[in-house]
Amino acid sequence: MKIWAIALNTFREAVRDKILYTLLFFALLMIGASVLVAELAVGEYDKILRDLGLSAINLFGMLIAVFVGIGLVYKEIERKTIYTIASKPIPRWQFVSGKYIGLAGTLALEVLIMAIGFALMLAFTGASGAMESMPAIWLTWIELLVVIAVAIVFSCFSTPALSALFTLGFILIGRLTAPLKEFADAGNSEVLKDFAAVVYKILPDLQTFNLRAEAAYGRAYDWEYVGYATGYGLLWAGVLLALAAVIFQFRDFK
Amino acid sequence: MSDIAIKAVGLRKVYVTGFLRKKFVGLSKLDVEVKRGETFGYIGPNGSGKTTTIKLLMGLNFPTAGHAEIFGHPIGSMAARAKVGYLPERPYFYDYLTALEFLHFYGQLLGMDKAARVKRIDELLPMVHMERARDIQLRKFSKGMLQRVGLAQALMGEPELVVLDEPSSGLDPMGRRLIRDVILELKRKGTTIMLSSHILADVEEVCDRVAIIAKGEIQQITKTSELVGHGLHGVEAAFENLSSELALGLGFGEPTAHAHGRVTFLVENHERVNALVRAALEAGGALIRVTPQRQSLESLFVDEMTAVDRKDREKPT
Ligand SMILES: Nc1ncnc2c1ncn2[C@@H]1O[C@H](COP(=O)(O)OP(=O)(O)OP(=O)(O)O)[C@@H](O)[C@H]1O
Ligand SMILES: [Mg+2]
């Protein structure tokens, strides 16, 4: 399968990249450092520990997604590695999909390693809730799948610096749509209400993937919701990836 | 099965760049046919549109106008791409792969199974003298080594058409010779080859036909056999131990050069040169060399460029 050849190769590229290890190292360091912070805080030791750990996983997942994801397609064009690939009998959409799958796999591995670090950290400090945090970590990965799809869309037509900016903007807006809608609904400006409703409809709501507070408080999780959020994320990723494929299909490699 | 390997009709590419949508004509209008089994040279000055043509044929760029086919399949189609092996100019490859992984990867993209890939790689690595580098990452390769694995990559699927864009650039003499030998070997097997190069001696040696392109247009297409057969411009002979007076006294006109104690004459043909050599030896001269003056590809190229320049100047702007 040609898609798998591309995916495997992308995965190989990522795991042979030193940046990945640097980021991973700092992620684990951060997760470990939550212990110190929790020691200093008064009360709710377990909650703070889980909260900080999950946030670190999310933050570093995002960093890796943005920094590795952006370069992904752009670098191929910039370095002209695409010349020998796009001239082979492989449809361009398969190339884009293969890159995506490879990156998704890389992030799965990263998140898994961070999750293990997180669980070990909880175990060493005797804090509870490792299992209860897993759905939150799962949804972090789903969120990353949406983010890398966006990153790929942008890197199909703009430079890495711009793509990074756009993607960060997307993350920011994606996290703010839900609060923005709540705020607008509570106010009495009709214009703002309509605007918020439109933004909410056309952009993915990244807060959907945020179960971190629930996990931190050790609340029982709702499988149905996790399923819904997963479906929501995959749907968005699929739509974005299709868009990237269309852009890629018609572009010149100069 | 089409016997025309490459066919382009009115192929044109205008690059539109930047914010101001500035336009550059990369290829103005290309009409050409390359037959199956032919070795086709593609030469022209920098920026004349060689790479543009090749990228259009490979489906990497979309033509602004016109169309082209590879073995009867529209350029860019899966069927056309399946038949081509391509080495880009100044190629870049995934540098984190070893030579072995690299070739396996391209084999996979061609849809080859593992056994076929292993077999092909075992043929190709020795062919480009890279057996010893099979487990070394490409980032540790020199330019010439990259060019060699790049060539191997292009040949991975035993393509019917091989397109090489300046394969010898940056290579040492051994590397150049290697590329030339590989091309000759492919040619022997009946592979169609399109070779773009600035090394005209190589082009002249390996190609059946050569197109000269300038300003995005083919100016002339010549058979190399005709270059060698009919282009004799005369024969040059050089002697030592001949003074100016003696040289003039031979009756073959003024020498074309007279330096470092050597005199050089240019005469029309072989008969005349025989007579010249006899007369010069009798006069006490010593023969240094006799060189037939052929209209080589290089002089044809230079003539063509001069003509293009002249046409340009005469054009009212
Ligand atoms: N991506 C691009 N954007 C704008 N113009 C381009 C682009 N690529 C090529 N051109 C222009 O098209 C023309 C032909 O370029 P091309 O690369 O085909 O030349 P070439 O014959 O391969 O030259 P060389 O011998 O230097 O490799 C040049 O005038 C060049 O400036
Ligand atoms: Mg070129």
Side-chain angles (χ1 to χ4, degrees):
Chain A
M1 256 315 265
K2 294 172 186 177
I3 289 192
W4 294 119
I6 301 277
L8 209 71
N9 195 51
T10 306
F11 183 77
R12 194 153 47 182
E13 172 172 13
V15 298
R16 288 183 188 177
D17 192 340
K18 288 194 190 69
I19 294 186
L20 200 70
Y21 296 101
T22 319
L23 285 170
L24 203 57
F25 171 76
F26 279 108
L28 293 174
L29 204 66
M30 245 284 290
I31 294 171
S34 353
V35 178
L36 299 178
V37 180
E39 291 289 351
L40 295 175
V42 193
E44 295 189 292
Y45 182 77
D46 289 16
K47 176 195 162 281
I48 292 173
L49 217 50
R50 287 193 294 262
D51 203 359
L52 288 174
L54 290 173
S55 298
I57 292 175
N58 191 268
L59 176 69
F60 279 92
M62 289 289 160
L63 284 179
I64 294 171
V66 172
F67 283 104
V68 185
I70 303 284
L72 203 71
V73 175
Y74 184 84
K75 213 161 57 185
E76 300 273 351
I77 300 167
E78 188 59 23
R79 289 197 194 157
K80 300 181 179 167
T81 45
I82 191 78
Y83 282 20
T84 43
I85 295 170
S87 57
K88 293 278 182 298
I90 169 172
R92 287 187 184 181
W93 69 266
Q94 288 193 9
F95 172 77
V96 176
S97 311
K99 290 249 102 178
Y100 181 81
I101 293 169
L103 188 61
T106 311
L107 286 166
L109 182 69
E110 301 299 303
V111 171
L112 185 70
I113 292 171
M114 291 193 283
I116 292 170
F118 174 73
L120 286 176
M121 183 267 291
L122 291 185
F124 276 126
T125 54
S128 61
M131 281 326 284
E132 287 75 5
S133 300
M134 289 308 147
I137 296 177
W138 167 261
L139 286 188
T140 283
W141 183 60
I142 299 292
E143 184 180 11
L144 294 176
L145 293 187
V146 177
V147 169
I148 52 172
V150 171
I152 287 185
V153 170
F154 287 131
S155 65
C156 274
F157 63 84
S158 73
T159 61
L162 276 180
S163 302
L165 217 62
F166 287 147
T167 309
L168 289 174
F170 170 88
I171 295 171
L172 203 67
I173 294 171
R175 291 200 165 176
L176 287 178
T177 50
L180 176 69
K181 190 162 177 293
E182 272 167 36
F183 174 73
D185 285 347
N188 46 20
S189 158
E190 283 305 313
V191 183
L192 190 62
K193 238 180 239 178
D194 290 345
F195 176 72
V198 169
V199 170
Y200 192 74
K201 278 229 176 66
I202 60 168
L203 289 177
D205 171 14
L206 295 182
Q207 285 302 338
T208 309
F209 310 109
N210 188 351
L211 278 188
R212 292 185 288 281
E214 276 77 0
Y217 281 107
R219 283 192 207 125
Y221 45 90
D222 177 358
W223 280 117
E224 210 170 300
Y225 181 77
V226 173
Y228 157 76
T230 303
Y232 179 77
L234 292 182
L235 198 68
W236 262 109
V239 168
L240 290 165
L241 202 59
L243 180 64
V246 169
I247 296 172
F248 207 63
Q249 183 66 38
F250 294 106
R251 73 161 291 170
D252 272 353
F253 301 124
K254 292 180 176 169
Chain B
M1 208 151 121
S2 177
D3 262 341
I4 304 294
I6 302 174
K7 178 183 175 146
V9 182
L11 203 61
R12 177 177 174 83
K13 178 69 187 178
V14 178
Y15 291 105
V16 181
T17 56
F19 188 65
L20 297 172
R21 320 287 299 157
K22 246 183 117 164
K23 286 184 177 159
F24 290 96
V25 180
L27 188 66
S28 108
K29 184 171 174 293
L30 182 80
D31 294 282
V32 77
E33 267 190 23
V34 176
K35 282 194 275 307
R36 179 186 288 276
E38 198 173 14
T39 303
F40 188 73
Y42 204 50
I43 64 176
N46 293 128
S48 54
K50 301 183 295 296
T51 300
T52 301
T53 308
I54 289 173
K55 277 160 70 180
L56 288 170
L57 294 177
M58 297 301 103
L60 295 171
N61 279 352
F62 296 95
T64 312
H67 65 97
E69 289 171 359
I70 286 174
F71 293 111
H73 305 289
I75 47 172
S77 65
M78 281 310 123
R81 286 195 250 158
K83 292 186 176 293
V84 183
Y86 165 48
L87 175 64
E89 104 187 300
R90 278 179 276 115
Y92 288 86
F93 301 118
Y94 293 127
D95 57 8
Y96 51 88
L97 297 180
T98 66
L100 198 63
E101 292 169 334
F102 169 82
L103 290 176
H104 268 292
F105 174 64
Y106 282 99
Q108 283 175 315
L109 295 187
L110 288 162
M112 298 166 76
D113 64 29
K114 179 120 194 240
R117 296 198 305 265
V118 168
K119 183 166 167 289
R120 189 68 184 139
I121 291 170
D122 283 344
E123 290 166 4
L124 285 174
L125 283 178
M127 183 171 174
V128 294
H129 300 316
M130 289 292 288
E131 307 99 304
R132 283 190 310 163
R134 59 192 286 143
D135 294 316
I136 298 175
Q137 284 191 357
L138 264 56
R139 69 174 90 236
K140 294 177 189 141
F141 278 23
S142 72
K143 196 160 52 176
M145 292 165 80
L146 278 177
Q147 203 81 357
R148 287 164 193 238
V149 290
L151 184 64
Q153 163 275 134
L155 304 180
M156 195 62 198
E158 297 190 68
E160 290 171 49
L161 170 66
V162 174
V163 177
L164 307 171
D165 195 353
E166 295 186 33
S168 308
S169 82
L171 289 191
D172 62 15
M174 291 307 292
R176 259 181 65 188
R177 150 133 267 136
L178 175 98
I179 299 267
R180 206 167 45 200
D181 291 347
V182 169
I183 293 175
L184 288 171
E185 175 66 16
L186 289 170
K187 190 178 158 125
R188 209 179 47 76
K189 286 194 198 144
T191 311
T192 313
I193 300 157
M194 177 166 180
L195 169 67
S196 151
S197 177
H198 291 297
I199 301 168
L200 301 186
D202 289 0
V203 174
E204 188 171 351
E205 184 182 336
V206 303
C207 292
D208 303 317
R209 275 198 308 156
V210 180
I212 301 181
I213 175 173
K215 309 223 180 294
E217 261 172 272
I218 288 189
Q219 307 290 335
Q220 181 178 1
I221 300 185
T222 323
K223 288 203 170 103
T224 42
S225 56
E226 286 169 4
L227 278 180
V228 180
H230 305 291
L232 196 63
H233 272 182
V235 186
E236 208 178 59
F239 304 92
E240 269 177 355
N241 301 337
L242 278 184
S243 66
S244 312
E245 299 83 60
L246 272 176
L248 267 175
L250 292 177
F252 285 84
E254 291 253 6
T256 50
H258 195 162
H260 314 295
R262 286 188 187 180
V263 276
T264 310
F265 288 95
L266 181 65
V267 295
E268 297 83 63
N269 51 39
H270 284 112
E271 286 83 62
R272 290 276 288 162
V273 92
N274 281 335
L276 167 67
V277 169
R278 226 173 284 124
L281 293 181
E282 258 167 39
L287 180 63
I288 303 293
R289 61 182 167 83
V290 173
T291 328
Q293 298 295 293
R294 297 217 148 98
Q295 183 185 9
S296 67
L297 188 55
E298 188 171 326
S299 66
L300 183 71
F301 183 80
V302 172
D303 289 351
E304 196 57 56
M305 289 311 117
T306 323
V308 169
D309 274 350
R310 194 177 321 118
K311 245 188 288 170
D312 248 20
R313 252 179 280 124
E314 283 163 7
K315 228 185 283 170
T317 40

